[in-house]
Amino acid sequence: MPSQEELFAAVDELLTQPRPVLPLPEERQRLRKAAGLTQDDVARALQSRRETVNGWESGRTDPRPPRLEAYLRLLEGWAAKYPAHPAPDTEVFTGPAATPDAPTAPTGPANAPATAPAPEDPPPPQRPASAASRPAVTTGPAPTSRRPARPKTVAPVADPRFPHGPLAVLDGEGTAFCLGGVLLECAATTIPQLVDWTLKESGIGAPRLNKNGKDSDPLIVLTAAAAVRFGLPERLEGHEARRNLRLPEDHPVVKQITKAKWKLTQRGFGPWARIYRPAKGSQRQCVQLTILPWDALDTRAWGDAATLHPADLARVLGVYASRVITPRGSTAVSGLELMTAMRPPTRPVKDDTTGEWVSGPNPGALTRPIDPAPPEAPLEHPAAQGWTGGFLDEEAYQWVRDPKLLSDEECLLPWAVGIDINTAFLAAAARLTVGLSQPAHVMTPGFDKKIPGSWLVDFSHIELDPRLPNPFTPTGQRPEGPGWYATPTVAYAVELGYGVTPAEAYLRHETGAYLDPWHDRLKDAFVTTTADMGVPTDKDTDESTFLTAMALHKTYAAAHQDGLEALRTALRELAAGRADLAHLTDRSDEDLQAAIHRHRQGAMVLSAIKSTVKGGIGKLRERPQGRHYTEGERWPALERATWSPHIRAMLIAKARVNMHRKLAKLAALTGLYPLAVLSDCAVYASPGSSPLDFLPHNGDGTPVYGTFRIGANPGFCKVEGVQEMAWAVDLMEQGYNPARHIKGGDAVMDEGE
């Protein structure tokens, strides 16, 4: 046993030796991010593990010698290079960021909205309990597993009821991957047990987006292995569209659900299944299931997200859920659900007689199903049966200029450049006043641009420049006689100085900016996700800087298919002659793989957000589905308060008018006319391969107000594609639309993106 003198000597030696002092954990993380490296990169350099590095950055542990000195040397080197907080990394998709809404304490009869957690750089998954430690599971409807232990490090949450975020991806081993890298153990082996665990033990869900709304039901995503674990078939087979398929009522899993006294919605047990019990008061009991092997995630919206590792998929879906809404089906369904979530149809009101709180209509919301006016109805609608007075045709542009109207100067230019308006329909939704009540039929009304509705007007006598698309028709051709138009189209005719004398109209006198909250949330989601991928979103950003950042993002996103060598070639071409981009050409394979991975995930989220906009608008005029429908009968969508072809027509009309206004302003200022227009994409002949080569600017270099403006925000523009001018002329002469194929290859542009 050592003597006191020996111990004192050892202590004195420690006191005389300077011990390295590490920066605070937050600074350690900041410096690594500033260097554009991952925790895996640091772990490889120090011959350690990523989980260990995460412990250093979270402050749970500190490195020991000899790694302590090496880690300190690394941090000091970074600190010399990056002494202050730098601009966001232009090559990193950083994942979800906390939304600005602060949690609000309950007041009155309903809780105020709060937002789900969304850490900027989530910690790695915590290890779940081993299989040996999992408790046995009974064969009854509810598992006997204990509540899972909370991870040691959890990001701050806005609502303590949902500590593990809005959703989880469950694998075949019973591990639930949640947002923020949290792992939970789920011992359930039947669907009823899974539902019970989700509601009672998981801590999964999301708070309401409006104080008068409802909390989002927890979402459990089942991988192929998890589907097998719960007795589900690997594929749904049948002759109908796969999205309409469901398990038969005599399937064992459906019988289990019924026996446990749970219910399925009318769409049954399909790729998106909702399992519930009738609510008791304000207490909801509902779980949403997503079955990945049943093609629940449409590749047109989510890309190949279904092939991701469960942890990565939880991150992608979690970002979307935190910024938009917990997915409740396709992105179209989610877009429509978001409208209701942001403007619920009802709110608590106090009954003057009883003094009790009861449900009442919410001002400014769509509170009940309303049938359209006959000219607004699709052909299958009962209101359209026997109607011969013509129909509203407010759709997006599909127009090509007559090749005979091309000038020699245009044909000699080398390039055709396509510019695309970011989420043009979303931009049109801002401050759009729509009707909320029944349409009233009026003969020979005086036009009022403040009244939303449908007007019968004759624009066929108006002569316009044929080098521009006609603003009154989606084909861009001159109207042949009287037609029905939504208020924005008629208002634009007045703006252009033409007299308007409607013969009749269907008008709505109860109005409101119903889509404003929907627009605001989706705009924030779009801009935040774009910024995450390193694309500057400040409106005053230099246009060339934005275009370079977009090109870099697209290069990384495409590299998942093209491979590292193709990526290096593309980066060298992008950096040629650019000192500020020289660092792109000497990155390690590990760095490039990490960047590809992050940009790929970011592109998935951005695609889903854009599909939410497009699909939600389409759902406003959802037509009957299924082979058993008979024309003239009502279909289920008509019983929704959010089935409103009038609102869809108003929005599309405004987007088309916005496009024409830019086209006309550019032509008036510069004499430039588009070769073709498709929805929100316009193609111009250009002396250079960039839109900056033909778009006008003021003397100080700023873009001219009212024309196309380059930038990341909704309503601003980006490059859709560049091709040789000869290619565009050839397509035009064959009757094809260059705007549809300007991306190159087999690309076909989605309308209303």
Side-chain angles (χ1 to χ4, degrees), residues 528-689:
T528 303
T529 305
T530 300
D532 278 348
M533 295 182 296
V535 178
T537 57
D538 190 288
K539 293 182 179 180
D540 296 325
T541 298
D542 178 73
E543 292 174 311
S544 61
T545 300
F546 166 77
L547 292 175
T548 299
M550 281 296 299
L552 184 61
H553 160 62
K554 290 181 178 180
T555 299
Y556 279 124
H560 173 67
Q561 298 292 338
D562 300 339
L564 281 182
E565 285 307 312
L567 173 60
R568 289 193 181 279
T569 300
L571 290 177
R572 282 194 293 269
E573 293 176 354
L574 190 63
R578 296 281 301 271
D580 57 320
L581 299 179
H583 66 284
L584 297 177
T585 61
D586 58 359
R587 301 190 67 181
S588 68
D589 287 354
E590 292 78 7
D591 287 349
L592 292 180
Q593 289 286 10
I596 291 170
H597 186 66
R598 289 186 288 264
H599 279 267
R600 179 189 176 204
Q601 291 185 24
M604 291 174 182
V605 178
L606 200 63
S607 173
I609 292 171
K610 292 190 288 188
S611 294
T612 301
V613 175
K614 173 186 170 185
I617 294 169
K619 280 283 186 181
L620 291 169
R621 192 177 180 260
E622 182 178 357
R623 305 181 87 149
Q625 303 177 28
R627 57 185 177 178
H628 302 297
Y629 172 75
T630 302
E631 188 169 306
E633 294 180 349
R634 297 184 69 83
W635 59 94
L638 303 185
E639 309 311 317
R640 293 195 321 251
T642 49
W643 192 85
S644 178
H646 149 72
I647 294 180
R648 177 183 178 274
M650 292 279 293
L651 197 153
I652 294 177
K654 183 180 175 184
R656 194 182 68 246
V657 163
N658 286 346
M659 170 63 87
H660 190 276
R661 190 179 286 113
K662 294 178 186 295
L663 298 171
K665 183 69 175 287
L666 185 60
L669 288 174
T670 66
L672 296 176
Y673 294 86
L675 305 177
V677 181
L678 181 71
S679 187
D680 46 14
C681 175
V683 178
Y684 280 89
S686 173
S689 58

Side-chain angles (χ1 to χ4, degrees), residues 376 392 394 428-429 432-435 449-455 485-489 508 515 644-657:
E376 299 167 348
L392 200 66
E394 296 286 12
L432 176 65
T433 300
V434 300
K449 67 179 182 180
K450 296 181 180 179
I451 301 178
S454 301
W455 311 75
Y485 301 95
T487 299
T489 302
R508 292 162 172 83
L515 293 174
S644 178
H646 149 72
I647 294 180
R648 177 183 178 274
M650 292 279 293
L651 197 153
I652 294 177
K654 183 180 175 184
R656 194 182 68 246
V657 163

Side-chain angles (χ1 to χ4, degrees), residues 399 401 410 415-420 659 663 673-678 680-686 694 708 720-723 725 727-728 732 737-743:
W399 173 84
R401 199 202 310 180
E410 287 177 310
W415 301 106
V417 178
I419 49 177
D420 170 77
M659 170 63 87
L663 298 171
Y673 294 86
L675 305 177
V677 181
L678 181 71
D680 46 14
C681 175
V683 178
Y684 280 89
S686 173
F694 66 89
F708 296 96
E720 180 71 9
V722 180
Q723 299 289 342
M725 182 62 182
W727 168 91
M732 295 169 69
N737 191 327
R740 185 178 295 277
H741 307 283
I742 193 70
K743 283 183 179 179

